[in-house]
Amino acid sequence: QVQLQQWGAGLLKPSETLSLTCVVNGVSFNDFQWNWIRQSPEKGLEWIGEIKHRGSAKYNPSLQSRVSISVDASKNQFTLKLRSVTAADTAVYYCARGRPGDWGLDYWGQGSLVAVSS
Amino acid sequence: DIVMTQSPLSLPVTPGEPASISCRSNQSLQHSNGYNYLDWYLQKPGQSPQLLIFLASNRASGVPDRISGSGSGTDFTLKISRVEADDVGVYYCMQALQARTFGQGTKVEIK
């Protein structure tokens, strides 16, 4: 059974770096795209970026200057870092698996609420 | 950037009746390979989104055949032939042709 379990700090101060990790259980880490998506009342669902097991990443152009996604295939996990956060980065963050050929995001993590407040 | 627009934003439905949601993009989602890179997701209350339809018209595993997707280019539709109580939630379309962007969501609730 495929499971994505995510964790990370839930409360940050402005200018700090958000860091979330997603571990994948029950499936080979290879052959898929590993995504981060966030959801806020203001912006709805917003794609942050994705990475493949070999480490090639793509990012949302609006976040590209502040975001990085890395992968540790030996641990079946991938990590999101978002630098210089502001209140506008307050959201529920999800990790999700993308199938080859862009055939949809078929498994999602449980979501992590990250709040940015001074 | 590709902008996705859904309508309606709210859809009260009667169990047993059909329902339809529209999704439009500001540029064609059809790749040169012929596929339309448009997915549909349902987010049930308190849950993560779940994949319903990929490549405009292909049902994901476990999705009942009363749920279907259609369309090409810039106009897409999600149809539920007979609504059930378990179908309530917010439906999103998402394009995957250039990066990924989501529609605003359509909230489906029982009348």
Side-chain angles (χ1 to χ4, degrees):
Chain A
Q1 184 180 2
V2 180
Q3 284 188 324
L4 278 68
Q5 293 181 308
Q6 51 185 106
W7 69 87
L11 181 60
L12 297 172
K13 290 181 166 50
S15 80
E16 291 184 335
T17 296
L18 179 156
S19 181
L20 293 171
T21 296
C22 183
V23 65
V24 180
N25 295 311
V27 70
S28 170
F29 202 68
N30 302 337
D31 301 324
F32 298 97
Q33 304 147 341
W34 302 101
N35 290 257
W36 287 100
I37 297 105
R38 67 182 183 181
Q39 184 173 31
S40 64
E42 295 79 20
K43 292 190 174 182
L45 286 166
E46 181 180 28
W47 179 75
I48 300 170
E50 69 179 27
I51 194 165
K52 296 184 180 180
H53 75 283
R54 293 183 184 272
S56 60
K58 297 179 183 178
Y59 302 119
N60 185 325
S62 68
L63 297 169
Q64 188 158 3
S65 63
R66 298 193 292 131
V67 69
S68 64
I69 300 175
S70 60
V71 63
D72 186 341
S74 67
K75 295 182 178 179
N76 269 25
Q77 65 185 40
F78 58 109
T79 297
L80 167 70
K81 291 190 184 296
L82 181 66
R83 298 176 291 277
S84 304
V85 297
T86 69
D89 295 310
T90 294
V92 175
Y93 287 73
Y94 295 98
C95 56
R97 185 182 86 166
R99 297 193 298 173
D102 289 319
W103 284 20
L105 306 175
D106 62 345
Y107 286 94
W108 293 62
Q110 77 275 20
S112 298
L113 175 60
V114 177
V116 181
S117 174
S118 56
Chain B
D1 290 7
I2 298 180
V3 177
M4 308 300 295
T5 303
Q6 292 182 227
S7 63
L9 299 184
S10 178
L11 183 59
V13 296
T14 301
E17 294 295 307
S20 179
I21 300 170
S22 171
C23 176
R24 290 184 171 155
S25 56
N26 65 344
Q27 55 185 280
S28 177
L29 301 183
Q30 188 168 46
H31 192 273
S32 56
N33 62 14
Y35 290 117
N36 286 274
Y37 284 84
L38 187 284
D39 303 334
W40 289 97
Y41 296 85
L42 166 61
Q43 187 172 30
K44 295 182 178 182
Q47 297 185 17
S48 304
Q50 59 188 79
L51 177 66
L52 296 177
I53 301 287
F54 63 95
L55 297 178
S57 61
N58 296 273
R59 278 184 215 89
S61 176
V63 175
D65 59 9
R66 58 189 181 79
I67 294 176
S68 62
S70 63
S72 183
T74 61
D75 290 340
F76 301 89
T77 303
L78 181 76
K79 291 184 179 178
I80 306 173
S81 60
R82 299 175 307 281
V83 172
E84 298 183 358
D86 191 48
D87 296 330
V88 300
V90 183
Y91 290 77
Y92 296 93
C93 59
M94 185 200 81
Q95 67 82 18
L97 184 68
Q98 295 175 14
R100 302 177 196 275
T101 48
F102 292 86
Q104 321 96 300
T106 296
K107 187 174 184 179
V108 171
E109 52 191 3
I110 300 296
K111 283 183 180 176

